[in-house]
Amino acid sequence: MRRTDLWKWLGILVFICFTKAFIAYSADYEDSRDDDEQITVTQSGKEDFTYVLSTSLSRLKAPDGYKFDTTTGSGSPGDEAVEYSGSNASFSYMESAANLPTDSFTISMNGKLIPEKPEGTGSAPTWSASGKTKARLRVVENRATYDGTQEITFKAMRGNSPTKCTWVLEPSVPGLSSQSGDTLTLKKYGEEKNWVFPEPKEYTFYAQDDTDQKAYAVIVNQVGKEYDSIDIGPFHLTFDPALKGEYTKEGTWKYTTPSGDLTANISDLYTVPIKTHGVQVSFEIKDEKLYSASVSWSNTNETSQKISIFDATVNKIEGTFAKDKFTGSVAFDIELKEDQEFGEFYKLVWKKGATGAFKYAYSSADAGTWDFTLTGLKANMLLNDKAIAEATVSKIDQDGTCKGIALKLTAKAIDSYTINGFKFSFNGLNGKFDYNFIKKEFKFISGDGKVTLDAPKGIGGKFSLDLDLKTDSMTAAVTGKKIPAFGGNLEGEIMAVIKDQFMNLSKISGSKIEYVSDNFKKQGGANISGVEFSIEEGELKSLKIGSMIIEYSKVLFNLSKAEYSKEKLVLSTSCEIGKNVSLDVESFTISTEGTVELTKITADVNLAPVHISGNLKLVSSSITGSVGVSIGSSQKFDCKFTTGQAGRDNGTFNYAQVIISSQFPKGIPLGSTGFQLFSVSGVAAYNHTVKGEANSFYLGVAQKDHHEVGFYLGIKDAASLIALNGGAKIILGTNSEFTIGGGLAVPATGDHYIEGNATVKYQFGATNVGGKLSAEVNIPKKTGNVFKVKNSELAFTIGKDGFTVSAKGKGQLLSKIDLVLEEFACSYKNDVFTGSSNGTLTAKSKGTYSFPEKFGKGEANQNTLAGFGLLWEYNFTLGGGYNVALHSDSYTGTVYGTVDGDMDVYMKWDGFLWWDGSEIIQKAEITGKLDIAAAGTDVVASGKVKVSYQEGSKELDFSCNILG
């Protein structure tokens, strides 16, 4: 084993100093030598030496029958174990060439012997062996690293004395000769070139003296490296054959390209192999680092290669490396010889034909700037292999990116395109994208466009899509959020679904969709909402509308559902007009163009006793048709029927009208009243009122749940007691009734007690007819000379057995006295007229009153009564009252009048014979009531008058004819 520490050498020194004492070691058997006999030295490799001391039983002169005890024994130096082999023993000691002893030293070993047949007791005999070896030839500091920049010396020594030797390089290198002497010196490059090692590896010398011993020295050569590639700044250069360097006085290795080819890669922003011929490269290495370099090349006949999408031809390379900084450039002529496609979602192509020059100028080892000059570089956006938009590149940034390249719709894009069944044409298209030519990276920034989509099957008209182009996707929204359909528009958030490529339309649908139509509305006028639809493969696949009340042509329909089928929108509807009026609708469809078809509408109106039924049709603004109308159980008569709509917002409702014009010669019985309807014309309104009268009835105002009929009709009782003809109104509903306004006569034939215009009310189911009458009542018939009711509003009823009337109004008594009727009632039954009336009266009267009779017509002294006479010219208004019973041609009862207030009357009066002057009457007044009665053809008012004069007063009987 090796011992290199100080303690080992101290041990060897002590061992040598006490050799004599060691030799005198007391052993039973001993083998001692003073020379190298039986000590062999071998060298393992170029550095390690092994010393071996051997002995045997015969050299030890051991007795027969003894052998080595192999469990014992050790050697020195090193205190290692003895090795045994039969009758031989040996001890090995190893040391490195760099640490060989500088003087002779002794090796020893010892152990024990044992008899083959031990007998008795006693200690085992011992043995020992030793030998002295001389110091060997050695090289001091026998290993060194050499790079040609320093001087290296190796010295050959035996012990402590230099020894002349021959120095030999093993294996030999052509051109390098052996040297002799006790030293080997390798000088710096440039001072002596005999020892320039061709390769950077270990070289071995040995020194051999006259004893033929050899001592080795190892040189680790680190200079003279050959280069088959090198990085100079951004250039990676390869050489074939490899470059060999030349050492310079500046202490550098200089390399220069020989004539031949090389490959250079530009590896700053991208790597492009450039195969060139005749590139001039020179570089220097110092301390294993690039010290300086220059690269240059110029040739116009170089074969073109790809740089990005271009065919590029290098025309010049130049560069310099100095002071740890590289500057230089590479210039190319470029041309785009073939179309180059790029993009995935958006398909684009660089069009061939562009030319230009690229140059990269380096300002340091890892940074620089590009200069891209291009002419005629254009890109087209493709759709179905057609160019729809074009972009022109005018500038490429230093990092190889052209930013914000503008795409514009080309004129050719006006052509129509078909994708997945959708047929469309472009109205506009704009976009921007970036492209990095170094990395061939495409990035679409943004864009927009507008296309006109031809009407898909099942949709009317055309509509537009607004395109929103994003980086790797796009959306398309319907312009104005509407699609023409079924005579209106589908409006809302309508989006087109785009698949994995630009304009790859697959579906058009939307959310919160409304159907907006001038013809169809939701109840209250709102748009129809909750629409679901989808357009796929260029065709309307489905359209659904939920239940709601809709308006069409001013009519409300109860829509249960709407579905698209066979290019038509099929509506499941019914129509209601009030609580008891409905229309059954069959096959309500809307074509894609908006044309509405209705196979059948059936009317069914049940408002007892009126029933209306029939088939109708839908016209431009209403539902109309001819229907049959029956009242009670009578026969039907034909009428015209139309419907409309009224109200606002959700309060809208349907109304209907029936136009009636019929004659019934045999009459239609009115319940159990005994009256019959023999003619009718006018208008009936449901959820509406009727205005007008006689033969000019017309619609009034809308009123939900109010049903009314305006007729011009004739009505009479079965016995012909009375007759009515004229306008009428029928109110149908919870309390159905009709009101007739027209001419009335009682009795129905001949002279009439009552004749005028009447409004007759008939409550269906009642036993009589009632109403109001504006007419004259005459007693006796026709003339009314006894009692007359002037045109006044009278209430009346007509039953099976007659007619009754009551009124408040104005009348006349005895053709002279004006009456105010506080009460009037009469009846006509069984051809007998009876009645009664009370109220107030007024009458004006003027004339001359004399007392005694004929006083003042002759001489003043004639015709006196007890010397007293009165002549009074009167003019007064008479007020009073009456309460009479009426008969067919007379009346009975009380009629009276009063004169309110004083009556100041001035007149001439000749007094007594013995009185020649005239006496003025100061006052004449009627006291109490005046009784009014008929006297032949006169109407006489009689009572008392009180005359006051200067001498006193006198009460006289008074009467006058108020007919004048």
Side-chain angles (χ1 to χ4, degrees), residues 309-310 336 350-351 354 374-379 391-393 396 437:
I309 66 173
F310 304 101
L336 186 57
W350 293 113
K351 300 300 293 181
L374 279 171
T375 302
L377 181 58
K378 294 182 178 181
T392 300
V393 175
I396 302 178
F437 288 95

Side-chain angles (χ1 to χ4, degrees), residues 739-755:
T739 302
I740 304 174
L744 179 143
V746 179
T749 58
D751 294 333
H752 310 300
Y753 286 109
I754 301 174
E755 186 175 13

Side-chain angles (χ1 to χ4, degrees), residues 330-378:
V330 180
F332 310 86
D333 289 329
I334 63 99
E335 181 180 3
L336 186 57
K337 293 183 178 182
E338 296 179 350
D339 291 350
Q340 298 287 325
E341 291 188 4
F342 62 100
E344 294 182 2
F345 188 86
Y346 303 96
K347 297 294 185 181
L348 294 101
V349 60
W350 293 113
K351 300 300 293 181
K352 65 181 180 180
T355 59
F358 288 179
K359 183 177 181 180
Y360 189 81
Y362 295 93
S363 57
S364 65
D366 56 359
T369 58
W370 274 100
D371 180 12
F372 300 95
T373 302
L374 279 171
T375 302
L377 181 58
K378 294 182 178 181

Side-chain angles (χ1 to χ4, degrees), residues 472-485:
D472 52 6
S473 64
M474 68 173 290
T475 57
V478 174
T479 305
K481 302 179 181 179
K482 62 177 65 176
I483 292 178

Side-chain angles (χ1 to χ4, degrees), residues 682-814:
V683 59
Y686 298 88
N687 290 334
H688 217 285
T689 64
V690 173
K691 286 188 175 183
E693 58 186 13
N695 58 354
S696 61
F697 286 107
Y698 56 93
L699 290 179
V701 296
Q703 184 175 332
K704 192 173 184 180
D705 297 329
H706 180 89
H707 317 305
E708 191 170 339
V709 184
F711 288 132
Y712 182 78
L713 51 78
I715 185 172
K716 64 181 179 181
D717 68 312
S720 296
L721 295 176
I722 62 173
L724 287 170
N725 62 80
K729 288 184 181 180
I730 300 177
I731 298 175
L732 303 173
T734 305
N735 297 309
S736 300
E737 65 181 22
F738 72 75
T739 302
I740 304 174
L744 179 143
V746 179
T749 58
D751 294 333
H752 310 300
Y753 286 109
I754 301 174
E755 186 175 13
N757 294 317
T759 300
V760 179
K761 279 190 177 180
Y762 167 59
Q763 188 79 35
F764 286 106
T767 58
N768 53 46
V769 175
K772 293 184 178 181
L773 172 67
S774 178
E776 284 188 355
V777 179
N778 293 299
I779 300 173
K781 295 178 182 179
K782 191 175 183 178
T783 64
N785 291 336
V786 175
F787 188 86
K788 179 188 289 291
V789 178
K790 296 182 178 179
N791 284 334
S792 299
E793 185 173 298
L794 291 80
F796 67 90
T797 60
I798 304 173
K800 289 183 178 180
D801 54 355
F803 170 89
T804 61
V805 65
S806 63
K808 291 182 179 181
K810 294 182 179 182
Q812 200 172 53
L813 185 67
L814 301 174

Side-chain angles (χ1 to χ4, degrees), residues 53-101:
L53 173 64
S54 299
T55 190
S56 64
L57 291 174
S58 61
R59 284 186 65 88
L60 292 172
K61 298 179 180 181
D64 293 337
Y66 278 81
K67 62 179 180 180
F68 289 110
D69 183 356
T70 57
T71 64
T72 62
S74 63
S76 178
D79 197 24
E80 295 295 327
V82 176
E83 294 180 359
Y84 297 96
S85 177
S87 60
N88 297 309
S90 63
F91 169 71
S92 298
Y93 169 71
M94 187 174 66
E95 190 58 78
S96 68
N99 296 298
L100 290 175

Side-chain angles (χ1 to χ4, degrees), residues 758-951:
T759 300
V760 179
K761 279 190 177 180
Y762 167 59
Q763 188 79 35
F764 286 106
T767 58
N768 53 46
V769 175
K772 293 184 178 181
L773 172 67
S774 178
E776 284 188 355
V777 179
N778 293 299
I779 300 173
K781 295 178 182 179
K782 191 175 183 178
T783 64
N785 291 336
V786 175
F787 188 86
K788 179 188 289 291
V789 178
K790 296 182 178 179
N791 284 334
S792 299
E793 185 173 298
L794 291 80
F796 67 90
T797 60
I798 304 173
K800 289 183 178 180
D801 54 355
F803 170 89
T804 61
V805 65
S806 63
K808 291 182 179 181
K810 294 182 179 182
Q812 200 172 53
L813 185 67
L814 301 174
S815 302
K816 182 63 175 178
I817 300 173
D818 293 328
L819 304 177
V820 176
L821 283 66
E822 293 181 357
E823 181 181 353
F824 170 76
C826 67
S827 65
Y828 181 71
K829 298 179 180 180
N830 302 319
D831 294 328
V832 177
F833 181 88
T834 59
S836 64
S837 180
N838 64 70
T840 63
L841 59 84
T842 59
K844 291 185 178 182
S845 183
K846 66 179 178 177
T848 301
Y849 172 75
S850 62
F851 179 84
E853 187 177 353
K854 296 182 181 180
F855 176 79
K857 291 184 178 180
E859 295 296 330
N861 57 355
Q862 295 178 349
N863 301 321
T864 62
L865 180 63
F868 179 81
L870 174 64
L871 182 63
W872 175 30
E873 291 183 356
Y874 62 88
N875 187 356
F876 60 83
T877 298
L878 183 66
Y882 73 95
N883 189 341
V884 297
L886 300 173
H887 308 289
S888 298
D889 55 2
S890 64
Y891 73 90
T892 58
T894 302
V895 181
Y896 63 90
T898 60
V899 178
D900 293 331
D902 296 333
M903 297 176 58
D904 294 331
V905 182
Y906 297 90
M907 62 189 68
K908 296 277 185 152
W909 177 67
D910 292 331
F912 298 101
L913 294 175
W914 58 86
W915 188 26
D916 295 333
S918 298
E919 183 71 25
I920 304 266
I921 301 293
Q922 292 179 339
K923 180 182 291 186
E925 59 179 346
I926 296 173
T927 61
K929 295 181 179 179
L930 294 178
D931 294 324
I932 301 172
T937 59
D938 295 333
V939 178
V940 177
S942 59
K944 298 291 186 178
V945 65
K946 181 179 180 181
V947 180
S948 299
Y949 53 93
Q950 291 178 343
E951 295 297 327

